[in-house]
Amino acid sequence: MSYPQSRPRRLRRTPLLRRSMRETRLAPEDMILPLFVADGVTNPVPISTLPGHFHHSPQSALTECEEVISLGIPMVLLFGLPAAKDERGTGAWATDGAVQLATKAIKARFGDDLLVATDLCLCEYTSHGHCGILAGESVDNDATLEAYAQVAVSQVEAGADIVAPSGMMDGQVGIIREALDDTGHQETVILAYAAKMASAFYGPFREAVDSTPAFGDRRAYQMDGANLEEALRETWLDIDEGADMVMVKPAGPYLDVIAAVAAESPVPVAAYQVSGEFAMLKAAVEKGWLDHDAAVLESLVGIRRAGAKLVISYLAKEAARILGGPRGS
Ligand code: PBG
């Protein structure tokens, strides 16, 4: 059938008709909010490169989590900023580190009403800003794995429901699974940053946690963003090692990667709308060049349509507010 019998505009005539025809839905339950917790903070400190986001104390993180729960968002992803950094990033597995303390406090207050995922990496904790332990000028993969195993156990003993290794070391998912199983944490979920690109869009985040590498860059461990086949190989390896969920990151510039992973992945797929994606949108809104609410929803629906079950986003709260609470659009 073609025009004039076929008139696709018939199905777009009224708001209700359009709504009933919608193929992709976005709801607060689809989102994860990143949350920054810092040592030595009492009142929340605004993060200048991430407007509306703060370095929280364990206490102020609780207030934030209360709001997150009331908006119907099921999960937060914690990042930590230690008081002092060192060569090996030992703050990452300190039992009194900000992430560990905040996790403990959140789980004690909210129990199963909120899922706590913890980012698992060393870059926020190392004095040189790389994601692992150095041997000369490069990151020593296998020495780093041992540290990751320790970080995982410390986060889970603090109460994390989900650990999210983001350092892109080979074998990280397997060693974390083994360390968790050996310590009786068979139930803990691993959300693997499986296809994580060496991206220019992490800039505002690195400012926020002061993790810009002191020398070189992350291209020897994070992926070349031009590679789809490699992204699939990386993802299947993580699934073989025991990943319960896999993530593509960033999201917006890599929608084809999300789609390709989602088409074949036996486990749920998440995508991370990163700090630079957030910053671009906010900056354009500030200039009056974009409509905030419409752009927020369109950017997130696009990521869901590509195939992501869950979207990690600095816009999660705004989106939930726009959608009008737990029922979604
Ligand atoms: C840690 C990590 C990074 C991000 C999430 N986990 C930074 C990086 O790889 O440099 C970036 C998140 C964002 O930009 O929002 N490895």
Side-chain angles (χ1 to χ4, degrees):
M1 235 185 354
S2 59
Y3 176 83
Q5 291 87 352
S6 166
R7 289 180 182 270
R9 284 184 53 184
R10 284 187 197 116
L11 294 178
R12 300 181 202 136
R13 195 174 51 83
T14 72
L16 200 55
L17 196 47
R18 291 196 290 275
R19 203 175 154 112
S20 67
M21 287 297 118
R22 188 164 293 159
E23 296 174 33
T24 304
R25 289 177 199 277
L26 176 71
E29 296 82 50
D30 304 320
M31 290 181 285
I32 302 173
L33 180 73
L35 217 57
F36 296 88
V37 290
D39 284 344
V41 159
T42 37
N43 293 322
V45 181
I47 300 173
S48 62
T49 53
L50 291 169
H53 291 265
F54 298 85
H55 287 133
H56 285 285
S57 66
Q59 194 55 40
S60 71
L62 290 178
T63 314
E64 183 75 5
C65 287
E66 220 159 275
E67 195 187 350
V68 167
I69 294 170
S70 75
L71 287 165
I73 297 166
M75 196 191 304
V76 290
L77 173 61
L78 296 184
F79 291 93
L81 185 59
K85 307 196 183 212
D86 60 32
E87 188 69 21
R88 299 173 61 82
T90 57
W93 61 88
T95 46
D96 60 351
V99 165
Q100 286 78 0
L101 293 180
T103 301
K104 229 176 251 172
I106 295 168
K107 292 313 289 186
R109 169 78 74 87
F110 302 110
D112 284 340
D113 290 339
L114 186 68
L115 294 163
V116 174
T118 47
D119 184 82
L120 198 169
C121 194
L122 296 186
C123 64
E124 297 107 281
Y125 301 91
T126 51
S127 42
H128 44 77
H130 278 288
C131 297
I133 292 166
L134 296 181
E137 296 249 307
S138 77
V139 174
D140 181 336
N141 192 86
D142 297 7
T144 301
L145 292 183
E146 286 168 38
Y148 284 2
Q150 266 178 287
V151 180
V153 172
S154 86
Q155 292 177 338
V156 173
E157 307 221 303
D161 300 290
I162 295 161
V163 292
S166 67
M168 291 298 281
M169 295 303 125
D170 294 335
Q172 62 184 15
V173 173
I175 202 141
I176 289 167
R177 185 72 274 160
E178 196 181 308
L180 292 178
D181 288 355
D182 285 351
T183 49
H185 303 295
Q186 291 83 356
E187 298 292 317
T188 307
V189 170
I190 299 179
L191 164 57
Y193 286 70
K196 176 172 175 181
M197 312 302 177
S199 171
F201 291 95
Y202 305 149
F205 172 95
R206 290 182 188 169
E207 283 294 312
V209 298
D210 186 23
S211 73
T212 305
F215 62 87
D217 54 38
R218 304 206 202 293
R219 291 179 190 282
Y221 40 103
Q222 296 181 349
M223 275 191 49
D224 182 343
N227 297 352
L228 173 60
E229 285 177 26
E230 187 186 1
L232 295 174
R233 282 201 301 276
E234 275 281 5
T235 306
W236 309 151
L237 282 173
D238 282 3
I239 294 170
D240 278 347
E241 288 176 28
D244 300 288
M245 290 191 275
V246 290
M247 190 203 299
V248 175
K249 176 186 173 189
Y254 296 95
L255 295 176
D256 60 324
V257 179
I258 297 172
V261 169
E264 292 192 45
S265 173
V267 302
V269 178
Y272 198 143
Q273 184 184 51
V274 300
S275 58
E277 297 176 73
F278 169 83
M280 284 195 299
L281 191 148
K282 288 287 178 182
V285 166
E286 204 176 290
K287 286 204 171 265
W289 294 346
L290 283 179
D291 176 81
H292 180 265
D293 292 3
V296 165
L297 292 186
E298 190 173 336
S299 71
L300 293 167
V301 167
I303 296 164
R304 291 260 304 131
R305 190 193 59 245
K309 168 110 195 73
L310 289 170
V311 186
I312 302 159
S313 171
Y314 301 95
L315 297 167
K317 286 200 306 178
E318 280 110 315
R321 250 183 235 115
I322 301 165
L323 293 168
R327 271 177 311 113
S329 71

